[in-house]
Amino acid sequence: MVSVSKFALSCSMLLTIIIGFELKGGKCSIFLPPKVHVYVTNNLTWGLQLGVHCKDKNHDKGFRSLHTGETYSFDFRPNAFMQNTLYFCGFTWNPNNLRYFDVYIQDRDSASCQHDCRYEIHQSGPCRIKINDIGPKSVECFEWNK
């Protein structure tokens, strides 16, 4: 009869070997979802600079200042087991304008942002740009977080 601890050790070793093969060469696996790349472009009028500070509860991507037309990007790997990944950003363009927006909510965005989430930031709110392989790009605009 096999003891429980020997069985657990065998399962642990097998899982380690499988994960090792899955991660070989840095390729995506069935255990790890593909990385998502978020792109934030300053599309403010009148040449205003855009301050961007993005983070989730465990990772702070830092503050960036963007001139009109400049893009800031970061990437991450969504949670493979629970649909709870959330990245949010604070946006400033003068001392009186501080706005927030959730640039990635896994439940909302996992289908439309499988690899890339591209946003243009306007005073009225962020717009997600979807570049299609064929046909014109699509634009979906959002309101700022309340």
Side-chain angles (χ1 to χ4, degrees):
M1 185 166 177
V2 176
S3 73
V4 173
S5 63
K6 285 184 180 179
F7 177 75
L9 181 61
S10 296
C11 288
S12 175
M13 289 174 53
L14 180 60
L15 184 59
T16 301
I17 291 168
I18 290 171
I19 290 174
F21 281 121
E22 292 292 328
L23 294 177
K24 187 176 181 184
K27 295 180 181 174
C28 185
S29 75
I30 59 171
F31 296 111
L32 294 174
K35 282 187 177 181
V36 173
H37 303 274
V38 174
Y39 301 89
V40 176
T41 300
N42 178 357
N43 205 23
L44 299 174
T45 55
W46 305 302
L48 292 172
Q49 276 194 299
L50 176 67
V52 182
H53 189 184
C54 299
K55 56 186 170 177
D56 74 355
K57 68 180 182 178
N58 298 314
H59 305 94
D60 189 334
K61 299 297 184 177
F63 178 84
R64 302 289 189 281
S65 183
L66 305 176
H67 295 285
T68 302
E70 288 184 331
T71 299
Y72 162 62
S73 66
F74 64 92
D75 57 29
F76 61 92
R77 215 175 278 283
N79 190 321
F81 303 105
M82 298 184 334
Q83 293 279 313
N84 67 350
T85 302
L86 168 69
Y87 269 90
F88 58 95
C89 300
F91 300 94
T92 57
W93 55 89
N94 71 38
N96 298 323
N97 283 307
L98 173 59
R99 302 286 190 267
Y100 292 95
F101 181 69
D102 300 329
V103 294
Y104 187 85
I105 302 172
Q106 196 166 358
D107 280 343
R108 179 191 73 193
D109 299 320
S110 61
S112 57
C113 294
Q114 291 179 358
H115 300 289
D116 294 328
C117 261
R118 298 178 185 278
Y119 289 96
E120 290 180 352
I121 305 304
H122 305 266
Q123 283 96 332
S124 59
C127 294
R128 184 168 53 207
I129 310 301
K130 180 99 171 153
I131 300 172
N132 302 314
D133 292 335
I134 51 175
K137 68 181 181 181
S138 64
V139 178
E140 182 180 11
C141 294
F142 300 90
E143 292 184 8
W144 296 112
N145 290 3
K146 301 284 184 212

